Structures are given as structure tokens and as C-alpha cells.
Amino acid sequence: DVKVTQSSRYLVKRTGEKVFLECVQDMDHENMFWYRQDPGLGLRLIYFSYDVKMKEKGDIPEGYSVSREKKERFSLILESASTNQTSMYLCASSLPPGQGHTGELFFGEGSRLTVL
Amino acid sequence: AQKVTQAQTEISVVEKEDVTLDCVYETRDTTYYLFWYKQPPSGELVFLIRRNSFDEQNEISGRYSWNFQKSTSSFNFTITASQVVDSAVYFCALPDTGRRALTFGSGTRLQVQP
């Protein structure tokens, strides 16, 4: 089974702090994603990566950055946390569509971040 | 751009009732997949089904069934004889092929009362 592991289920941080959210997948997937989930808004894509050291902006990248130094690990960084970044953060991974793969995303359990 | 609309924000039913969750999508792709995911209270999104736009046959898996109609751009999900364990948020999703990501609807929260 594919396993996507997010380092922290619950975090409480203060405004202005630097926050790291870590995500590791164990299936050698090329693609990795960070989504943010808010009530009524569904999941919104923050950043994604197709390969090591590669990153692309999603729909809401402002206030975030990412790092992918190894294929299995994709980190989301909040340089200076703000209260409007209080949310559930979901990491996912996938293989690209084709060769029998449909682009299905495999998700971690989520990290619920509260910024005070 | 891809768009997925789940107009039902929250649905509450009593156990053993049938319930249908609606999903309407927009895409310029001529071929595509559609997905449904379930998010139980634990938080992790669980894959339920993937359908290819070529195949408009209804899919049935136990108490779950899916009705895909390309003509109306809809991919509705029906739970027959609902159970309390079906209580969750359900998301419909469409691939954003240019980014290999999925575009999600806003989700429908289903509450099944005992």
C-alpha cells in the first residue's frame, strides 16, 4: 500500500513564526502536492512538484514556499505564519497518467495548523 | 480551466435511506478521468472510484453506485441503504492535466443519523 506520511497532525504556532510541514511518501512517486482545505472551499492547490528540486506554483502560492531535495520528501514552508494560514494542509503523491496509471492522488492524514 | 461544482454543502439522512451526491464539472479536455474521494472524520482522503470519460456505463460497488452522464457533465454518486459509517465529506475531482494535479469540488458533508 502507498503510504504518505505527514510529520505533524496538529500544530499551534504564533504569528510570524517560520513553520515547516513535512511529507514523505514511500512509493517512489514522481509527483507530490500540497493542498490546503478550508470549509466551503474544498481543496486548493498550493504547490506541486514533478521531480527532485523542481517546484511549480499552484492556485494559492502566496505566503508559502516548498522544498524537494529528495524524491520521497516534499516540505511546505510558511516563512512568516499569519492567522489566515490557519487551515488543514494535505500532502499527496501520484504517478503521472499513462502506462496504466490514472493520476490518482494518494493523500496523507493532514496537518491541522492553528496560527495564533 | 477545470471546474468541479458540488452544489450540496451538507446532507443529513437517517440510516437505511438512499442518498445521491451531485457533481457537475467543466473541462475542455476531450478525454478525461473523474474521481470521487471520501474524507472520514480522521482526515485522510480515501480514493473511492475513477471513471474514464469513454465509459458512461454506471458503476456499482456494493452499496455505492455512480452515474456518469457526459451529455450533462455530471458524475453523481449514490449510496444505497446508508449507514452511520458513511458519514464523511465526499469530494468529486477532475484532473488538471496541465499540472498533473486534481481539481476538487468544495465537497458535500454527509451525516447519517442512526
Side-chain angles (χ1 to χ4, degrees):
Chain A
D1 284 352
V2 176
K3 185 70 174 177
V4 179
T5 303
Q6 294 185 228
S7 55
S8 304
R9 290 296 306 275
Y10 301 95
L11 302 95
V12 180
K13 298 291 182 181
R14 295 203 174 274
T15 301
E17 282 193 70
K18 192 169 186 176
V19 182
F20 292 88
L21 300 179
E22 306 285 345
C23 175
V24 177
Q25 50 96 1
D26 65 358
M27 284 298 292
D28 202 35
H29 283 175
E30 296 176 14
N31 306 325
M32 295 191 74
F33 309 87
W34 276 104
Y35 285 88
R36 169 176 172 162
Q37 182 182 2
D38 299 288
L41 297 177
L43 278 71
R44 292 179 292 167
L45 184 64
I46 305 172
Y47 267 98
F48 59 102
S49 169
Y50 298 152
D51 203 349
V52 175
K53 296 193 184 295
M54 175 273 171
K55 60 185 179 183
E56 292 283 346
K57 293 180 180 179
D59 297 319
I60 52 165
E62 296 78 20
Y64 304 95
S65 62
V66 290
S67 171
R68 194 164 181 199
E69 296 296 318
K70 293 184 178 182
K71 190 174 185 179
E72 67 271 18
R73 187 180 297 271
F74 192 37
S75 302
L76 180 69
I77 303 158
L78 287 66
E79 293 289 344
S80 177
S82 63
T83 55
N84 62 14
Q85 292 178 309
T86 292
S87 186
M88 169 74 94
Y89 291 89
L90 292 161
C91 175
S93 70
S94 75
L95 290 167
Q99 299 180 344
H101 304 295
T102 62
E104 172 195 345
L105 267 59
F106 297 85
F107 283 87
E109 290 185 316
S111 298
R112 186 168 293 283
L113 172 67
T114 300
V115 182
L116 302 176
Chain B
Q2 319 289 72
K3 184 177 180 181
V4 178
T5 301
Q6 295 179 256
Q8 303 152 307
T9 304
E10 187 161 345
I11 302 174
S12 183
V13 299
V14 176
E15 208 169 17
K16 298 185 182 177
E17 283 187 36
D18 298 346
V19 58
T20 296
L21 309 181
D22 297 333
C23 173
V24 175
Y25 62 91
E26 296 177 24
T27 180
R28 292 183 179 177
D29 294 338
T30 53
T31 61
Y32 47 90
Y33 287 100
L34 290 160
F35 296 81
W36 275 94
Y37 282 82
K38 174 183 180 179
Q39 186 181 41
S42 59
E44 181 178 352
L45 268 78
V46 177
F47 167 78
L48 292 178
I49 190 172
R50 171 261 305 167
R51 295 293 284 170
N52 189 317
S53 59
F54 278 119
D55 185 359
E56 291 195 57
Q57 283 192 342
N58 288 345
E59 174 103 8
I60 298 174
S61 176
R63 296 184 296 107
Y64 295 171
S65 63
W66 289 268
N67 180 268
F68 173 40
Q69 293 195 353
K70 202 169 182 179
S71 60
T72 57
S73 297
S74 66
F75 185 40
N76 297 336
F77 172 31
T78 297
I79 302 174
T80 302
S82 59
Q83 299 176 2
V84 173
V85 294
D86 296 325
S87 296
V89 182
Y90 291 86
F91 291 96
C92 181
L94 178 68
D96 181 346
T97 50
R99 301 189 296 185
R100 303 187 191 177
L102 290 181
T103 296
F104 288 84
S106 54
T108 297
R109 180 177 298 277
L110 174 64
Q111 302 262 23
V112 181
Q113 307 291 342

